[in-house]
Amino acid sequence: MELVRKNTAARALVDAAQRAGERLALVPTMGYLHEGHRDLITRARAECDRVVVSIFVNPTQFGPNEDFARYPRDLERDLALCRDAGADAVYAPEVEELYPFGPGTLVVPPAALSSTLCGAFRPGHFDGVATVVAKLFALWQPQRAYFGLKDFQQTAVIARMVADLCFPVELVRVPTVREPDGLAMSSRNTYLSESDRATARALPRALAAGYRAAHAPGASTESVCALVRQELERAGITPQYVALVDPLTLAPSSEPARGVLAIAATVGATRLIDNLLLAEPSPFESLLESAP
Ligand code: AMP
């Protein structure tokens, strides 16, 4: 497995892959990898000839009071996980390599997708996400790119960018990998104290309750959101938002059982997000029943 630090080296690898007629997969990450990231890499490995994992804590997607400086980083451990999962290359550039002229040209997704949900609380976040993903696509020219449904709004924003800007890349959305008690895996879970971690179990529990409510007769978007909010508040969590939205437009869903139930909440000092595609089978029934 190759560690790529420079864009010139990236271009040489892309040229070689294209000359060989290989199908290249890109798995964009911010590092501090866990089993959720591993699933993306494993899937890419099974479906493509060359697998490139990017590890880059992207400054343009962090607000001024967010955790850019203290975001967890451990390149050696990440390299071991990537190697083990079968990646061919890890692209881990310095900030100056990807942003030689500072933030520079920005990709600005439509406000309907980027200013709602997390975007309402993280102004500019999805401009930063779209910009860095556009750079990665332009540099690596992947045939496929792998994203986790854990960041549902991100997948919606990137899908729209790919359509709007005619990127010749196929997006693959990978289901959320969860801890045994249902908590979605996240690099930020390492910020949680032991008691915060216990409180955080309320997020998947609330989503599971919302799932059941959405599939009950007479369910409405409002009643499902109210129930989820109540479940979180019962655990002492005041959510930033609880929303049930259309998976494509992110506008409030008119059909609760076909929408995406999305939540964001701060537990201790850690902002957590999670969501559930209500048209899919619930991932929780077996998980939560077997949880201690
Ligand atoms: P991040 O490093 O947090 O930016 O995440 C990199 C990619 O991994 C994104 O596409 C995420 O959606 C995905 N990802 C993060 N956590 C999970 C998870 N628990 N399950 C599946 N994919 C995930």
Side-chain angles (χ1 to χ4, degrees):
M1 189 183 75
E2 198 164 336
L3 173 59
V4 178
R5 292 291 208 171
K6 298 290 178 194
N7 292 350
T8 47
R11 282 192 198 100
L13 281 184
V14 172
D15 284 350
Q18 288 180 346
R19 271 198 308 274
E22 289 174 349
R23 175 189 280 255
L24 191 144
L26 179 67
V27 184
T29 82
M30 296 205 301
Y32 216 69
L33 305 179
H34 50 64
E35 293 304 302
H37 298 111
R38 184 196 290 274
D39 254 26
L40 269 60
I41 303 168
T42 304
R43 178 97 184 256
R45 174 73 284 157
E47 296 176 355
C48 298
D49 303 309
R50 291 267 164 171
V51 178
V52 177
V53 180
S54 63
I55 296 181
F56 182 65
V57 185
N58 172 39
T60 64
Q61 71 188 69
F62 287 78
N65 298 314
E66 294 186 348
D67 56 344
F68 173 70
R70 71 178 190 116
Y71 194 85
R73 294 161 167 90
D74 187 344
L75 186 60
E76 283 311 309
R77 200 173 61 98
D78 288 347
L79 292 175
L81 187 146
C82 290
R83 198 175 290 115
D84 187 57
D88 296 298
V90 167
Y91 173 59
E94 296 294 339
V95 171
E96 295 70 30
E97 188 70 12
L98 259 189
Y99 291 101
F101 310 107
T105 304
L106 283 180
V107 176
V108 180
L113 296 181
S114 65
S115 298
T116 182
L117 305 175
C118 289
F121 298 90
R122 305 187 70 188
H125 169 70
F126 289 108
D127 297 357
V129 169
T131 299
V132 78
V133 172
K135 282 170 176 280
L136 293 170
F137 284 178
L139 180 63
W140 285 99
Q141 298 174 39
Q143 272 74 38
R144 287 193 179 180
Y146 291 76
F147 291 90
L149 283 166
K150 154 84 170 37
D151 297 278
F152 185 83
Q153 187 172 10
Q154 173 169 282
T155 64
V157 165
I158 299 300
R160 184 63 191 272
M161 178 189 82
V162 162
D164 284 341
L165 300 185
C166 309
F167 277 108
V169 58
E170 186 185 338
L171 301 180
V172 181
R173 296 168 183 78
V174 179
T176 301
V177 177
R178 299 179 176 281
E179 300 285 355
D181 67 357
L183 183 68
M185 288 191 181
S186 164
S187 309
R188 288 192 170 100
N189 289 353
T190 51
Y191 297 152
L192 296 169
S193 69
E194 206 175 311
S195 84
D196 291 344
R197 176 64 186 79
T199 305
R201 292 176 66 168
L203 271 75
R205 286 196 184 280
L207 286 178
Y211 184 93
R212 285 192 292 271
H215 288 275
S220 70
T221 295
E222 295 72 26
S223 65
V224 173
C225 290
L227 177 86
V228 171
R229 189 171 278 277
Q230 208 175 46
E231 288 287 322
L232 292 170
E233 285 169 354
R234 222 153 49 94
I237 298 173
T238 308
Q240 260 184 0
Y241 67 77
V242 173
L244 208 175
V245 299
D246 178 274
L248 282 182
T249 64
L250 305 186
S253 176
S254 50
E255 279 186 274
R258 308 206 63 75
V260 185
L261 180 56
I263 57 184
T266 301
V267 177
T270 307
R271 186 175 182 278
L272 300 175
I273 59 171
D274 201 351
N275 70 81
L276 212 51
L277 286 168
L278 299 181
E280 306 276 322
S282 168
F284 290 125
E285 297 312 322
S286 54
L287 259 181
L288 295 180
E289 268 152 31
S290 62

